[in-house]
Amino acid sequence: MSTTPQEHDKAGWLLYHSVGMFPGQQAAMRAALEGFTTSWCRPGLQRWDDGLAARRQVLDLYARLLRAPADAVYAAENVTQAFAQFVGALGRARLNGKRVLIAADCFPSLHYMLTGLAPLLGYTLDTVPVDAAAGYVTDDGYIARWQDDVALAIITLVTSTASKRAGLQRLAAHGRAQGSLIAVDITQAAGIVDVDVSAPAIDFAATTTLKWLCGAPGAGLAYINPALLDERLQPLVQGWFSQPDPFNWDLDKYSLATQARRFDNGTPSFLPYVASAPGLSWLLSPAAQGMRAHNQALSRKLIALADAKGYRLRSPRDASERGGSVMVELPAPIDAQALEARLATEGVLADTRGQVLRLSPGVLTQATVIDELDRLLPAA
């Protein structure tokens, strides 16, 4: 995958687990935002229609990415809010006296949110511990805690701390046998790992438009199984955009939309969706073909480098069990934050969580970064 001279300085970008980039991104985002500005500031009545169309475009692209019906997706500000809307709508009727199961290496914000909702909805939050030997929650460990009193299981498809990829087929089959609802955080997977919400069938999935989707902050995207969209699923927060016709002002004729749009509430935001549309459009275009193969080729080289340096690999070696990132544990004598800063001054952009160095190669990352890391990383 070739890059322009202006993008050569991103050859060392290893932060796709945080912020994704694609060829021509800056120009594409600028054009999208300028188009919105022109529409919004033009005298006339078109601005709202244009803004809603931009937001709808991103939702349609998300549905296409997940092979989901277009009316089964909804927008939120972020992943935490999207999950909170779903869990809140399940209500005490489905959750009271039951367990909600989650892995300890979930994205922490989801755990904080679920802890706060537990007293309101009457469930017990059960957290599956990390396997000390593996360094992540294993599928076996998760299944061992998953019995028929679990009303809702939240699966992290790819973890942000180890890039451990869950065996979703096996987990979903077990969950269906228990009668549980299955929700999946696909934040670290969407765009780099194939996700089909019907194979296996799941009940909910959410992501941000950041990371591999190469979008902007402030846009969360959620899918909900259409089979759940009955009168029992009542969002805790509703508003004028939750209706079939948002312009109904008759207080006695309020009703919820039959589609996932019932999770809208007040006036929707536009700018994060305008800024995120170019990334999703690029990802679903022929230009993005080969990105996964490029990612895996560089990932193999990163693993080999970690082995040569004597670092402990925190991610699975098997590519089928790994997302798009490679995480390695820096030896204790290394100051992780100081190393992170030094790498950045040399044009190698990665980050650390404690002593774990996170490396995520994407479309703009070049193989030359391996040589730079070999030069800059001290041996154990």
Side-chain angles (χ1 to χ4, degrees), residues 56 59-60 62-64 66-73 197 223-224 226 260:
R56 186 67 249 177
L59 286 168
D60 288 344
Y62 177 60
R64 183 178 152 199
L66 270 55
R67 300 176 181 84
D71 59 3
V73 297
V197 293
Y223 157 82
I224 186 164

Side-chain angles (χ1 to χ4, degrees), residues 208-238:
T208 173
T209 54
L210 288 165
K211 310 181 192 304
W212 302 101
L213 298 188
C214 301
L221 301 171
Y223 157 82
I224 186 164
N225 191 325
L228 294 178
L229 291 170
D230 58 26
E231 68 281 355
R232 293 179 298 162
L233 201 68
Q234 300 271 341
L236 292 177
V237 179
Q238 303 172 17

Side-chain angles (χ1 to χ4, degrees), residues 182-253:
I182 300 168
V184 186
D185 178 0
I186 61 170
T187 302
Q188 292 289 348
I192 195 64
V193 170
D194 187 54
V195 180
D196 183 341
V197 293
S198 65
I202 58 175
D203 298 301
F204 180 83
T207 185
T208 173
T209 54
L210 288 165
K211 310 181 192 304
W212 302 101
L213 298 188
C214 301
L221 301 171
Y223 157 82
I224 186 164
N225 191 325
L228 294 178
L229 291 170
D230 58 26
E231 68 281 355
R232 293 179 298 162
L233 201 68
Q234 300 271 341
L236 292 177
V237 179
Q238 303 172 17
W240 68 304
F241 257 78
S242 308
Q243 306 178 92
D245 174 17
F247 296 96
N248 164 53
W249 304 119
D250 189 334
L251 301 184
D252 296 324
K253 292 184 178 179

Side-chain angles (χ1 to χ4, degrees), residues 112-129:
Y112 304 152
M113 177 272 295
L114 291 164
T115 299
L117 284 180
L120 176 67
L121 299 176
Y123 61 78
T124 298
L125 183 61
D126 188 4
T127 307
V128 183

